[in-house]
Amino acid sequence: DPTIMNPAASPDHIAERYYGAARLCQPGKVIRFQDGSVWTERALYTKALELNPSFAEACHNLALTMDERDEVAFAGEEWDRKRLYTRALELDPMMVPSYTNLAALMGPEDRVSLNGGGLDRCSLLLHALRLDPRCAMAYFNLAACLPANSNVQLPSGQVVSAAVLLETARSLDPSSVQVVAPAEVMPQPSCVVVRPVVGAHTHVLGPLVQRMP
């Protein structure tokens, strides 16, 4: 309970307490502190970020509480889900779930400024696989992003099709991967690609619901 902490506690320490409370708060539920205040999961993560705007895990988990049109305010700015995942990766470039979730929110022509360049959703997913070659959702979403009849070169150097990506995802985590057929994918010549062909209509899963510890 952050309301009973020592008044001399640092903002970062208090932020950790709000973050810990948010982790205990179930979606759609509330937590009541000893001072009588009532908090939702989203409000707790937002408070943690007001106290420590450089809290990468709080950025990621806050985004998971939001819908497409939602925005939250902290550090004098408005933040939507894409900005929060981007900020999480700026603060911690090793946070694999943030790459996967951010990619799932992007369209074929969208780009995000990271690592000194503009990255599309396939590039984000490939980066996730470079960091964690066993990330099932990254394989699944990468398969959904590929234009029809196209292949992609993985960080390992292996060139694979969407079918191989799907099979890899299923083998790594059968419980989390559902079969979803691409919607109206435009046929493209077979080639090695690192990004979707502009104009291709593909289906991508929603964000991977994985909270940071």
Side-chain angles (χ1 to χ4, degrees):
D1 186 336
T3 66
I4 60 174
M5 292 181 68
N6 187 322
S10 69
D12 286 0
H13 191 190
I14 300 172
E16 289 279 357
R17 287 294 185 90
Y18 278 100
Y19 179 83
R23 291 283 290 118
L24 295 174
C25 186
Q26 296 298 315
K29 305 295 184 180
V30 296
I31 283 182
R32 185 184 299 273
F33 292 146
Q34 288 192 21
D35 67 353
S37 60
V38 177
W39 297 77
T40 64
E41 182 186 24
R42 182 184 301 183
L44 289 163
Y45 285 129
T46 302
K47 183 64 175 181
L49 285 163
E50 289 173 354
L51 292 163
N52 179 9
S54 297
F55 203 151
E57 293 84 357
C59 287
H60 176 95
N61 286 357
L62 176 57
L64 286 172
T65 72
M66 297 167 62
D67 294 324
E68 181 179 0
R69 299 182 183 277
D70 289 346
E71 291 188 345
V72 295
F74 65 88
E77 299 184 52
E78 296 290 329
W79 303 79
D80 61 12
R81 292 187 298 174
K82 289 182 182 178
R83 271 198 85 191
L84 285 168
Y85 285 131
T86 302
R87 178 60 174 161
L89 290 170
E90 290 170 348
L91 295 167
D92 184 357
M94 303 298 288
M95 196 175 293
V96 172
S98 290
Y99 286 103
T100 307
N101 287 7
L102 177 57
L105 298 177
M106 295 170 61
E109 299 182 40
D110 291 343
R111 299 290 185 275
V112 62
S113 181
L114 272 176
N115 303 324
L119 302 180
D120 62 19
R121 60 188 184 179
C122 278
S123 297
L124 290 169
L125 293 167
L126 287 169
H127 198 81
L129 291 172
R130 188 174 296 111
L131 295 171
D132 181 7
R134 298 187 60 79
C135 180
M137 194 60 70
Y139 285 107
F140 189 88
N141 279 0
L142 185 56
C145 286
L146 287 183
N149 304 317
S150 295
N151 298 326
V152 64
Q153 184 172 3
L154 298 177
S156 64
Q158 183 183 11
V159 177
V160 298
S161 65
V164 172
L165 291 169
L166 286 173
E167 186 56 38
T168 302
R170 292 192 194 98
S171 67
L172 289 170
D173 190 356
S175 64
S176 69
V177 177
Q178 300 176 0
V179 177
V180 180
E184 300 180 7
V185 179
M186 296 174 60
Q188 299 291 337
S190 179
C191 60
V192 176
V193 298
V194 295
R195 59 178 59 85
V197 175
V198 173
H201 301 282
T202 57
H203 181 93
V204 183
L205 286 185
L208 171 61
V209 182
Q210 178 176 343
R211 296 199 297 180
M212 302 306 296

